[in-house]
Amino acid sequence: MWDKIMNRILLWISVSVENSHNQARPMTVPFDIGYQEAGEQRSNGQTMEDNCDDPLASQLSPMAFSSSSDLSGAPHTAQLNRRVGTGGWSPANSSAQQWLQMDLGNRVEITAVATQGRYGSSDWVTSYSLMFSDTGHNWKQYRQEDSLWTFAGNVNADGVVHHKLPHSVTARFVRFVPLRWNPSGKIGMRVEVYGCSYKSDIADFDGRSSLLYRFSQKLMSTLKDVISLKFKSLQGDGVLFHGEGQRGDHITLELQKGRLALHLNLDDSSKARPSSSPPAAALGSLLDDQHWHSVLVERVGKQVNFTVDRHTQHFRFKGVADSLDIDYELSFGGIPVPGKPGTFLKKNFHGCVENLYYNGVNIIDLAKRRKPQIYTVGNVTFSCSEAPIVPITFVNSSSSYLLLPGTPRLNGLSVSFQFRTWNEDGVLLSTELSEGSGTLLLSLEGGILRLLLQKTTEHITEILTGSSLNDGLWHAVSISARRSRVTLTLDNDAASPTQDTAPVQVYSGSSYYFGGCPDHLTESQCLSPVKAFQGCMRLIFIDNQPKDLISVQQGALGNLSGLHIDLCSIKDRCLPNYCEHGGSCSQSWSSFHCNCSGTGYTGATCHDSIYEQSCEVYRHQGNTAGFFYIDSDGSGPLAPLQVYCNITEDKIWTTVQHNAELTHVRGSSPEKSYTLTLDYGGSMEQLVALIDSSEHCEQEVAYHCRRSHLVNTADGAPYIWWIGRSKERYPYWGGSPPGFQQCECGLDHSCLDIPHFCSCDMDKDEWTHYTGFLSFKDHLPVTQMIITDTNRSNSEAAWRIGPLRCYGDRHFWNAVTFGTEASHLHFPAFHAELSTDISFFFKTTTLSGVFLENLGMKDFIRLEMSSPSEVTFAIDVGNGPVELIVQSPSSLNDNQWHRVWAQRNLKETSLQVDNLPPSTRETVEDGHFRLQLNGQLLVGGTSSRQKGFQGCIRSLRVNGQNLDLEERARGTSGVRPGCPGHCSSYGSICHNGGRCVERHRGYLCDCTSSPYEGPFCNKEVSAVFEAGTSVTYMFQDPYPMTKNLSLPSSAVYTDTAPSKENIALSFVTGWAPSLLLFVDYPSQDFLAVLLCKNGSLQIRYQLSKEDTHVFTIDVENFANRRMHHLKINREGRELNIQVDQQLLLSYNVSPEAKLSTSRSLTLGKVTERLSLDPEVAKANALGFLGCLSSVQYNHIAPLKAALRHSTTAPVTVRGTLAEASCGSMLDSVVNAVTTEHSSSDHFGKADEQEPLTNAVRSDSAVIGGVIALVVFVILCSTGVMIHFLHQHKKSHRTRQMKKEYPENLDSSFRNEIVVQNTAKECKRDYFM
């Protein structure tokens, strides 16, 4: 095929091939030369379909046919449509590994095949594979899609099934291998092969030769290069071509360990020679398999395309030069040393090269015609000679083996062979030695070669050598035992046992097992401590005699199981690398593995992003503000981008910072403009994806000017402009629409000087500034800033571009509602040949329905809810349908949102619903793996318009691409954009009394009635109280101002007493006594929450002067600088008190007690002139010193009102109230708050004019306070200890009350709760 491409080159080349070497000028070679697999233009002007389909087998002689066996002994009767004789070929036994072969006489181009069954019989083949060879040995299986291709056969004896090959093959020998046949008959075939003759120019290099293409002048300088060839070799290393120039340019193509490495340098003279520098590109693998491989190198300037066997790598050089300058000559096959004939710098190529073209010059043709510009070094012949090497493949890791006989009882042993594999472990050779000399085992363990010679359990000789031998390369192994000395040689490197090993006398055995052991043998006959070998072997010698493996295949020598003879079917499963997003690939013989570490992706092929698509999704998961990585296209090619998610109560802002701050500019002019490029830390594609998926984006622009113009005139040349995403310049500014060269003040005529379109254009000596927002999404982000007017006297400017800020996710809440089963949306077929992932949310009340479906000629994909509790994912990529089912323990048609995620890749197919365990199935190896779809993608229905889906689908993503369901639904009958009811599914995300509010795109949490705030109403609202700090909330009067004021206050509130009272607060303090909360009722009734001097918590509830309830909780000292939580709930006359979610007290208020409506609520010190209870007055001396958090009284949040709405809410703050987070406060902070007042006037105010003096005074006060507190604590501790040792605690008299405790409350806790019904003093004792 490559010679046809070169014929095109010869037609297109602009100068004569014969004369092109006379001029040192760039060659003008077209760059659009590619590899065409079908419809290729041939040299005679006709296409492959028109001219290369001649029947080739019908004209062959009977001697051209052969087979593994034949029922009649005459395989030539296998020609298509032949009816005489047996009417076709049938083997002696219909079993695996049978084959029918034909010799086409010469290498031909094969484009199609056809088959029939055996005439007049029930014998036909239902599937088969093809193999090809140039020599009748070393066969190559036909592959397509990088997998062994299986051809569909016949369904009867006489029908002809024709297959056009997806890509043509050049070969002399063709072999048909039946895989399956009619179960009611036997294998039976009549065949035909179609194609045409093939001509090529071939050169054979023996490893010590080369061809030199010499230029007539010293220098050949080219802007374009096209080099193409085909090669085959048994060697993994060797130079194919090389050229270099004196100033450092060079180009080299060489085999390195079975891969092709391209070294190329255009203008870097400091770059090392290709022998020491890494290649510019490397492609291919296992290229030393003695099969033809195609190579194409295309270069135009710095752009290079490098293709090996249909795998292409594109790269571009950096630097200045575009030409490749080569001195004197190009060498092919090696790099000869000037002045030293027969000497080469590197290992030469050993093998055959076909159709070698350099910029249209047929190098081999010139050499064959002995043209003077070609000089031959060594022996180069023009036909391909190949050694008849027969490789074998061990297929099965459990049962493959090869038995070969040896000469027994020889004094010594000699075995050698070559192997290649991807597996770390496997038995290579095992034999039972003669004369009782033990057992020999050679194995691969962890990639290391291990030789074990065991005579007895005590007498063991071991040799270890090599590492990473599972690299797919050929390795030569030789075992030699002579004169009691054992040597293991690996790749010409000999290894022997350790020095202290005793001499070993070895006598050769009679049976040698390669690759594994038969099941019926004992360990003494064949050792197999690891699994059987999977890989290839060749060149097996026993007792220095080569073994004829074809005789083994024919049954004349040894025995075998699970082997393929005369081919090495090793495959590099990491070429191409199917690990996506930079994942590294490793492999075994039958599979590959992807390491996704550090890629930001996960899954079997590193397909799935570990990051979410937007800040909106992070917020939906319950995250708060912070730095996150977002992946806008999910499994698509774009890498994750780091952003800051500012998650507020009403919007979720996504912010991307750049590298520019406020920048000062002087000295710029139109001739020498100032330019700065903004770096956002990501690619433009990433930024555009973020912007396009957002509802709104903006960037703030601030420009400070002094005698520096901004926009000049509305239609004149601007002085300043910015560059957007498309590299176009824009002179408009914030507030002005695109196309208007003005500031916002120019549009509304509010500039400082009306005639100007921007205030900076007044050209004044004073500083003026402009600030606005750029928000036209199609132009964002700003990538460059250009300023040209700061070079005049006193002219200067300062500018700043704010970060890119966006809000709103256009895709996550993109939803549609399907009203009928017949309604659906259609999209173009999605192309996901190798990896497919689909995710979406749905909700419905119906029993079943198809979510989506996409059909191809044979392939298809379908997702459906098959029952109220089942989701089914069905897919067929050509190997038969695969169906996965996930069953939910609860119904899925509950009108709640459910997430479906389905994926298929080369490793596995999986389906997951919500957080249920996924259903997974491994992908079939070596089968069809490309999903071919050509129909429309139907969402919500099927092509049959049956079993459609009724309900809602949103956030549909296919392979990282978001499908705009709402846009497609507009104008589609039976489908409407949007789907209400998000709060029914996600309302629980709003905490602490927050209310879920429905939006068209999502929801938000309304925290108005909650003492918390934040996007989920879970952020505490806290403040630090100092001595004397007071927060008073006045409740609104229950009646209008026109109520009868002559009535007693109790009467006003009698009928409006609330049926419930719910109080909650959290506190941290280190000071007692303290007054936390005071609720004032009419008639001097009150509710007080305070800490007694001993740190016990007390709730005093006065319902009348005669009816005061005191509840003391002294389970611990609550002034211990730790967070405590209190809840007081009264419903009707039942009162519940809960502390730290552990203690619960239930109490029923007496029926005679009068319940009133609260008048005011005070946190901290009560400053009104009220007649306070004596104990409350003691606690009120300083009020509360510490931190209060999340205070709530019914639907009122008084502390939140004081901090957030102090100007509008009926709240009064006295003293210092500092917002802080109680949950994150340290003991030292609380200590500072609770001790600072002790050595100073509690209500005094320092002189604000002397900050430094005040600081000294404050420090002295704190120090004094700390000293006093330490002395006080020591004295108190001493007194408490004495009191504890010598006295008993005084018990308080308690009037009997009805007490109810929860059943699970520990009895010890019950005993610690003291309920008092009289106004007595707090306990004097500290909690012990």
Side-chain angles (χ1 to χ4, degrees), residues 280-300:
L283 271 180
S285 178
L286 312 173
L287 300 178
D288 53 349
D289 57 359
Q290 196 65 354
H291 294 296
W292 288 108
H293 298 282
S294 303
V295 183
L296 177 63
V297 179
E298 305 169 295
R299 182 188 69 87
V300 171

Side-chain angles (χ1 to χ4, degrees), residues 68-89:
S68 54
S69 64
D70 191 272
L71 190 63
S72 64
H76 64 275
T77 58
Q79 290 160 317
L80 200 69
N81 294 319
R82 187 177 180 90
R83 300 187 178 185
V84 299
T86 58
W89 166 74

Side-chain angles (χ1 to χ4, degrees), residues 138 205 231-238 255 257-258 286-291 293 347 349-352 384-391 418 420 473-475 538-539 568:
N138 190 31
F205 298 87
F231 74 91
K232 66 191 307 186
S233 177
L234 284 171
Q235 303 298 321
D237 299 278
L255 273 171
K257 294 184 177 181
L286 312 173
L287 300 178
D288 53 349
D289 57 359
Q290 196 65 354
H291 294 296
H293 298 282
K347 185 175 182 178
F349 174 74
H350 188 181
C352 301
C384 190
S385 60
E386 299 184 46
I389 297 177
V390 178
Q418 293 182 1
R420 74 190 313 174
L473 303 178
W474 283 111
H475 295 284
R538 68 185 184 187
L539 299 174
C568 177

Side-chain angles (χ1 to χ4, degrees), residues 194-220:
Y194 302 90
C196 55
S197 60
Y198 178 80
K199 295 181 180 180
S200 64
D201 295 306
I202 295 178
D204 192 330
F205 298 87
D206 62 2
R208 299 179 299 277
S209 57
S210 66
L211 293 177
L212 306 183
Y213 174 52
R214 291 182 166 172
F215 313 139
S216 60
Q217 298 181 8
K218 174 185 176 181
L219 178 68
M220 171 69 79

Side-chain angles (χ1 to χ4, degrees), residues 86 97 146 173 186 246 322 331 480 488 517 554 559 582 630 682 697 701 829 856 858 1055 1283 1290:
T86 58
Q97 304 300 318
D146 295 321
F173 295 87
K186 300 188 296 294
Q246 291 184 353
D322 289 318
S331 62
S480 175
L488 175 63
C517 300
Q554 295 171 348
N559 201 356
I630 62 170
C697 291
V701 182
K858 295 181 179 179
D1055 296 332
H1283 186 77
K1290 296 179 180 180

Side-chain angles (χ1 to χ4, degrees), residues 445-492:
E445 299 181 20
I448 298 174
L449 197 61
R450 179 175 184 248
L451 175 64
L452 186 68
L453 191 60
Q454 182 173 348
K455 187 173 184 179
T456 63
T457 55
E458 295 82 14
H459 193 171
I460 299 176
T461 300
E462 183 182 55
I463 304 176
L464 299 174
T465 186
S467 63
S468 302
L469 300 178
N470 57 319
D471 54 6
L473 303 178
W474 283 111
H475 295 284
V477 180
S478 174
I479 305 172
S480 175
R482 291 287 185 272
R483 300 184 181 92
S484 302
R485 177 184 175 88
V486 179
T487 303
L488 175 63
T489 303
L490 172 66
D491 297 333
N492 298 319

Side-chain angles (χ1 to χ4, degrees), residues 1003-1068:
Y1003 61 92
L1004 60 81
C1005 295
D1006 181 6
C1007 308
T1008 303
S1009 299
S1010 171
Y1012 293 79
E1013 61 183 5
F1016 314 109
C1017 306
N1018 59 357
K1019 179 183 178 182
E1020 66 176 28
V1021 179
S1022 312
V1024 173
F1025 285 66
E1026 297 182 1
T1029 301
S1030 173
V1031 174
T1032 301
Y1033 189 97
M1034 299 300 297
F1035 297 101
Q1036 301 297 321
D1037 288 336
Y1039 290 149
M1041 296 300 294
T1042 57
K1043 64 181 183 289
N1044 186 356
L1045 297 180
S1046 64
L1047 293 174
S1049 59
S1050 59
V1052 177
Y1053 293 90
T1054 298
D1055 296 332
T1056 61
S1059 61
K1060 295 182 180 180
E1061 275 187 309
N1062 295 312
I1063 301 173
L1065 61 87
S1066 300
F1067 66 92
V1068 180

Side-chain angles (χ1 to χ4, degrees), residues 616 619-620 647-652 813 981-984 986-991 993-1008 1013-1017:
E616 176 78 34
R619 178 259 188 188
H620 181 67
I647 301 174
T648 64
E649 293 186 14
D650 59 340
K651 284 187 175 63
I652 298 93
W813 299 107
H982 301 306
C983 284
S984 62
Y986 306 127
S988 61
I989 203 171
C990 300
H991 303 286
R995 185 174 61 91
C996 182
V997 178
E998 193 83 17
R999 284 183 168 183
H1000 172 67
R1001 292 188 181 274
Y1003 61 92
L1004 60 81
C1005 295
D1006 181 6
C1007 308
T1008 303
E1013 61 183 5
F1016 314 109
C1017 306

